Amino acid sequence: MNDQSTRQRDAASFAELFTPKLVTVLREGYGLTHLRADAVAGLTVAIVALPLSMAIAIASGATPAQGLYTAIVGGFLVSLLGGSRFQIGGPAGAFIVLVAVTVAQHGIDGLILATFLSGLMMAAAGFLRMGTFIKFISFPVTVGFTAGIAVIIFASQVKELFGLTLEEEPGALLEKIPLLWEARLSLSPAALSVSAATVCITLGLRRLQPRWTGMLIAVGFAAAATTLLTLPVQTIGSKFGGIPSSLPVPSLPTLSMASIPAVLPAAISFTLLGAIESLLSAVVADGMSGRRHRSNCELVAQGVANIGSSLFGGFCVTGTIARTATNVRASAHGPVAGMLHAVFLLLFMLVAAPLASYIPLAALAGVLAIVAWNMIEKPAIAVLVRSGWGEATVLGATFFLTIFRDLTEAIVVGFALGSVLFIHRMSQTTEVATDSAFVGRDEADTAQPRGKYREEHGANPDVVIYRITGALFFGATASIGSVLDRIQDTHKALIVDFSSVPFLDSTGANMIESLAKKAQKQGVAIWLTGATPDIRNVLEIHGLTRQLIDFAATVDDALEQLRERATSKHEVH
């Protein structure tokens, strides 16, 4: 009987873990007001996604139609089945390098097959609950490979930005740069003018009218100017013959004993990068909205979305940070917004497909140049460089390996270096405090001196005290961050005791910073007690100033200061 009840609890737990957020939102109650909010957000995101999807596809060596298929089919399935309330799926700039290499080596059919296999692997990884392990990738690694991808994306657009004439453009950066320099005399003033105007209009509208969709307006202006002035620049129509006005009939990719092993390395790379990028995007959405995503459910949805995309001739789908952030800022209520974004894209394709033929490639290159610039997390890089040689080494190694070697290799090496750095710092910590074990042991109550239990510490319903024991590093931040987020949602003050934390890395500091910013928005006061000078230094480097957080020597000191604040406020009123 006990075994049966245990199995029933496990089954229920499994079902709850993989229940899409759409079901959760509908259970909460969904009315016309929510639908209206989701429709506005979906339309806003679709307007952003329309030029981006085509630009990313062209830069990847695919057709603009494939970019739209990916955004429509993949984006709909990600929102329908995902574990994130606000995630927007579609083609992402991070995949440009991998997709371009796959197309060059295996052709479009090989790309579609690799996407299909990647979907199977990602769904399997989700069901095996491997999404948790993605959280062990440290903050410097994600910043480094994202910046490296941004540099490669920009380099891939130089030809279109300046209208250069090249017989064949190599993919490797070191081979590409000399050829681009040799082709400098073929610069097209018309193409340069179109790309520069696209960038200026987009950035200008972002500053002057941030609510307007600058990218689409800029691309529309470039298309109109190119057509009316008959500028000598390449367009989607002249290179690709336009885009179809309907979705293709779904079909399985070509499966054979020869083709599957050939594209398997590419499929593995798609899976690894897709998992990292989608869960990173979901974390961004969590930070902006205060909600929590389910990583394994999200991986399953991403897997199904990649399978669906490949059936319609699309390519890699992942969560997209920029479009997901736009969705949250547009006041979306839930996953229906992402589903409607895909529906709006389909309507755009059905109605306005002939107009896409007039879009100049130089304008789309300008869009991608802005995307590449935004992908580089300049403040995060500055913080990591100031954090010390360890973080800077991991960041630099990941960045340069991404540019000059291979993205998968960069992530693996960055992860390994981060782990070695953690072990090194823990060994130093152990030398300084030999009585503090990394993992706590059971011991007698009389083995260590201990103070009396203070019942009042847990009696105040508005204040919660949370003690962290052990190293706060990239492997522990996900679980601790989840707990702290839930705690602060229902209290007016949160005291986090660091007196038993021997070590804090950049990922842990970044998590505390995100927590403090969210708490500030919600009016929750956060206190850190017992932090060593070294840990305080790391936190301050990451932006944890007294405007965001308060420090105290002990928990009692923090409680006393909270009481003094409450008393002074009461006297003022």
Side-chain angles (χ1 to χ4, degrees), residues 159 217 331 342:
K159 174 178 175 289
I217 293 172
S331 302

Side-chain angles (χ1 to χ4, degrees), residues 111-405:
L111 170 64
I112 294 172
L113 176 58
T115 302
F116 180 80
L117 296 176
S118 172
L120 293 176
M121 287 188 282
M122 204 175 297
F127 281 124
L128 293 173
R129 304 189 186 188
M130 296 177 66
T132 307
F133 295 101
I134 304 297
K135 300 169 186 175
F136 281 77
I137 295 177
S138 63
F139 183 57
V141 174
T142 59
V143 173
F145 82 71
T146 303
I149 291 169
V151 171
I152 295 174
I153 290 173
F154 181 80
S156 72
Q157 296 306 298
V158 170
K159 174 178 175 289
E160 300 295 349
L161 284 169
F162 294 93
L164 303 179
T165 302
L166 285 176
E167 292 184 5
E168 186 175 350
E169 185 178 6
L173 189 64
L174 291 178
E175 299 174 10
K176 186 196 300 281
I177 293 175
L179 291 179
L180 290 173
W181 178 251
E182 291 175 5
R184 67 189 184 280
L185 297 178
S186 64
L187 182 145
S188 166
L192 179 58
S193 299
V194 169
S195 58
T198 302
V199 172
C200 291
I201 291 172
T202 302
L203 297 181
L205 288 175
R206 181 179 297 173
R207 178 177 293 272
L208 299 174
Q209 295 289 344
R211 292 182 178 273
W212 294 9
T213 311
M215 281 185 180
L216 187 63
I217 293 172
V219 170
F221 174 82
T226 300
T227 304
L228 295 175
L229 300 176
T230 60
L231 297 178
V233 295
Q234 266 197 323
T235 64
I236 288 179
S238 64
K239 185 170 182 177
F240 300 100
I243 61 173
S245 57
S246 62
L247 288 174
V249 177
S251 62
L252 280 171
T254 304
L255 301 171
S256 69
M257 295 304 294
S259 60
I260 291 178
V263 302
L264 194 58
I268 294 173
S269 297
F270 290 168
T271 303
L272 179 61
L273 181 58
I276 295 171
E277 191 75 6
S278 62
L279 295 185
L280 184 62
S281 177
V283 169
V284 170
D286 289 349
M288 295 179 68
S289 65
R291 299 288 178 165
R292 302 294 301 181
H293 76 281
R294 291 193 296 275
S295 56
N296 293 304
C297 180
E298 184 63 24
L299 282 187
V300 172
Q302 297 287 340
V304 174
N306 275 277
I307 294 171
S309 175
S310 67
L311 296 180
F312 284 88
F315 54 95
C316 316
V317 180
T318 189
T320 55
I321 295 176
R323 276 160 271 173
T324 298
T326 300
N327 189 39
V328 177
R329 285 195 296 265
S331 302
H333 178 72
V336 174
M339 297 162 65
L340 289 176
H341 129 270
V343 173
F344 284 127
L345 280 176
L346 177 60
L347 292 176
F348 289 156
M349 190 176 72
L350 295 176
V351 175
L355 298 178
S357 301
Y358 299 103
I359 297 175
L361 299 186
L364 295 180
V367 168
L368 285 180
I370 296 172
V371 169
W373 176 254
N374 291 337
M375 284 177 67
I376 302 175
E377 300 178 59
K378 280 77 70 177
I381 291 173
V383 166
L384 290 172
V385 170
R386 293 198 306 268
S387 296
W389 65 268
E391 275 79 7
T393 300
V394 176
L395 173 70
T398 308
F399 175 74
F400 288 111
L401 283 172
T402 300
I403 293 176
F404 298 117
R405 290 287 297 173

Side-chain angles (χ1 to χ4, degrees), residues 217 468 554 568:
I217 293 172
I468 300 176
T554 65
S568 62

